[in-house]
């Protein structure tokens, strides 16, 4: 079994810190390891970890009232980098 004590990141800063790795490379490694028959035991299987680490689940689950997830919106990173005030207004 495989255990990954790493933190996937997708932006330029943070790579100087221990355990911070490029998210694409980490998920690719996890998928390839699982494809060879080595199951992921920590933190989650690759398909779940990709969803949890990206925080995409909050925008999906906030629409289900029984889950009590606060209302969430998604804003593209480029919109924030280009014009933060407009991105906030459009959200």
């Amino acid at each position: 079994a495989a255990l990954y004590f790493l933190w996937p990141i997708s932006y330029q800063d943070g790579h100087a810190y221990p355990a911070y790795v490029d998210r694409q490379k980490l998920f690719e490694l996890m998928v390839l390891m699982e494809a060879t028959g080595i199951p992921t035991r920590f933190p989650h299987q690759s398909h779940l970890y990709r969803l949890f680490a990206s925080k995409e689940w909050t925008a999906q689950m906030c629409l289900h009232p029984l889950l009590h997830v606060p209302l969430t919106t998604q804003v593209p990173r480029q919109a924030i980098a280009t014009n933060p005030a407009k991105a906030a207004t459009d959200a």
Side-chain angles (χ1 to χ4, degrees), residues 22-78:
D22 182 82
R23 78 189 238 324
Q24 287 300 108
K25 291 180 181 179
L26 175 61
F27 293 132
E28 181 181 351
L29 169 69
M30 293 173 74
V31 168
L32 291 173
M33 294 288 280
E34 291 170 358
T36 63
I38 301 171
T40 300
R41 295 291 185 235
F42 182 84
H44 296 284
Q45 293 176 337
S46 61
H47 66 283
L48 285 175
Y49 193 42
R50 182 185 306 267
L51 181 69
F52 294 151
S54 69
K55 299 192 173 77
E56 292 174 5
W57 66 273
T58 56
Q60 297 169 6
M61 298 298 147
C62 73
L63 301 175
H64 195 296
L66 295 177
L67 296 176
H68 303 288
V69 175
L71 291 176
T72 306
T73 187
Q74 291 181 321
V75 179
R77 187 179 312 273
Q78 183 62 38

Side-chain angles (χ1 to χ4, degrees), residues 3-23:
L3 295 97
Y4 302 95
F5 297 97
L6 302 169
W7 191 265
I9 59 173
S10 60
Y11 43 87
Q12 281 78 26
D13 57 339
H15 289 279
Y17 298 102
Y20 281 41
V21 296
D22 182 82
R23 78 189 238 324

